[in-house]
């Protein structure tokens, strides 16, 4: 059974810092990995999707990497802004349509 | 493109009543729709997967008679929480996929259910 761990559970950084969020998983037999953002009481916004054959994806200030052999993914946020404050979830896509989510990292960017 | 809506966004009901939550894909046809629930500080948990015109497939531990799912068209799925109890209070999120399988899932904004 796939297990997804996100560390740290919470992170607070001053505005302008670069930061890295971590996601680790136990089963490397995945189709893809997604990073989501969730604002309090809101649904999910998909940020980046990495297919299993890819190593990384970039969108603006965000860069996500995938290393299946080590069971790790990172989400790098450059030049953080207060508007980046949210909970970030990683999710692994495997067979049978399912996504397995981590518990998320709550990010606070302090102005 | 690929917008998914949910209605209502928030609902408060009395214990014992039934509540229906709608999930719509606004600008695409969704072969497969998914229903998740999220407890505070917990991961999203998949409740069931539904394919248009077929019975939903429920995850282990999810009561199919309590959480009725109907995927009547390629743009609409409904989740009905029957005889709701306070322990059913949660955040329910749907997602929709054009082709299912490993295709991208697009998520709705979620519905906050509070059962008094």
């Amino acid at each position: 059974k796939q297990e997804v761990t996100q560390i740290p559970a919470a992170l607070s950084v001053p505005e302008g810092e670069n930061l890295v969020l971590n996601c680790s998983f136990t089963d490397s037999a995945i189709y893809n990995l997604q990073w989501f953002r969730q604002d309090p009481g809101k649904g999910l916004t998909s940020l980046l999707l990495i297919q299993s054959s890819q190593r990384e994806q970039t969108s603006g200030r965000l860069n996500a990497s995938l290393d299946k052999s080590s069971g790790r993914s990172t989400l790098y946020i450059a030049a953080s802004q207060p508007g980046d404050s949210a909970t970030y979830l990683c999710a692994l896509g495997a067979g049978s349509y399912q996504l397995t989510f981590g518990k998320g990292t709550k990010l606070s960017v302090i102005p | 493109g690929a917008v998914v809506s949910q209605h209502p966004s928030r609902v408060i009901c009395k214990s014992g009543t039934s509540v229906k939550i709608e999930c719509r894909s606004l600008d695409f046809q969704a072969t497969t729709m998914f229903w998740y629930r999220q407890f505070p500080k917990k991961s999203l948990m998949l409740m069931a997967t539904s394919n248009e015109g077929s019975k939903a497939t429920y995850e282990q531990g999810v009561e199919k008679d309590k959480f009725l799912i109907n995927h009547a068209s390629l743009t609409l799925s409904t989740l009905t929480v029957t005889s709701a109890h306070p322990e059913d209070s949660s955040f329910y999120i749907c997602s929709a996929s054009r082709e299912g399988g490993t295709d991208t899932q697009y998520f709705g904004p979620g519905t906050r259910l509070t059962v008094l």
Side-chain angles (χ1 to χ4, degrees):
Chain A
K1 180 183 176 183
Q2 179 73 271
E3 293 183 3
V4 181
T5 304
Q6 289 188 246
I7 295 173
L11 179 65
S12 183
V13 299
E15 181 178 2
E17 270 204 7
N18 303 325
L19 61 101
V20 175
L21 306 181
N22 297 292
C23 173
S24 62
F25 49 95
T26 55
D27 186 350
S28 62
I30 64 172
Y31 287 114
N32 55 44
L33 182 146
Q34 291 188 68
W35 281 94
F36 295 89
R37 168 189 175 133
Q38 185 178 30
D39 292 288
K42 303 293 185 181
L44 300 177
T45 300
S46 180
L47 299 174
L48 290 164
L49 170 67
I50 310 176
Q51 301 294 347
S52 63
S53 59
Q54 298 174 322
R55 299 280 294 183
E56 66 176 346
Q57 284 286 330
T58 297
S59 176
R61 295 183 292 109
L62 305 179
N63 175 277
S65 68
L66 173 63
D67 184 344
K68 288 200 306 178
S69 63
S70 65
R72 294 178 187 275
S73 175
T74 61
L75 177 65
Y76 174 83
I77 302 177
S80 59
Q81 303 171 358
D84 295 331
S85 298
T87 295
Y88 290 81
L89 295 154
C90 75
L92 283 298
S96 304
Y97 310 147
Q98 291 183 10
L99 292 180
T100 303
F101 286 83
K103 292 183 179 179
T105 293
K106 184 176 182 180
L107 173 65
S108 299
V109 181
I110 312 302
Chain B
V3 178
V4 177
S5 70
Q6 279 184 243
H7 178 80
S9 59
R10 184 184 296 266
V11 58
I12 300 173
C13 69
K14 292 182 179 180
S15 185
T17 61
S18 294
V19 175
K20 180 184 285 187
I21 303 170
E22 293 185 348
C23 176
R24 293 181 184 272
S25 55
L26 299 183
D27 51 3
F28 67 101
Q29 293 187 324
T31 301
T32 306
M33 287 187 168
F34 307 82
W35 286 95
Y36 298 82
R37 68 186 296 183
Q38 184 179 33
F39 292 105
K41 300 184 179 180
K42 300 291 185 182
S43 306
L44 273 174
M45 297 297 295
L46 178 65
M47 298 175 66
T49 303
S50 70
N51 291 295
E52 185 265 339
S54 303
K55 287 185 178 180
T57 301
Y58 290 80
E59 295 301 300
Q60 191 172 13
V62 178
E63 299 175 62
K64 60 181 66 175
D65 293 332
K66 181 166 188 62
F67 299 99
L68 302 179
I69 292 173
N70 186 0
H71 191 164
S73 77
L74 285 171
T75 60
L76 173 64
S77 177
T78 60
L79 167 67
T80 301
V81 183
T82 62
S83 186
H85 291 284
E87 57 265 32
D88 298 324
S89 299
S90 189
F91 193 56
Y92 292 86
I93 300 178
C94 75
S95 70
S97 171
R98 288 187 176 90
E99 299 179 2
T102 59
D103 193 23
T104 301
Q105 294 182 33
Y106 300 97
F107 286 81
T111 296
R112 171 72 61 188
L113 170 64
T114 302
V115 184
L116 302 177

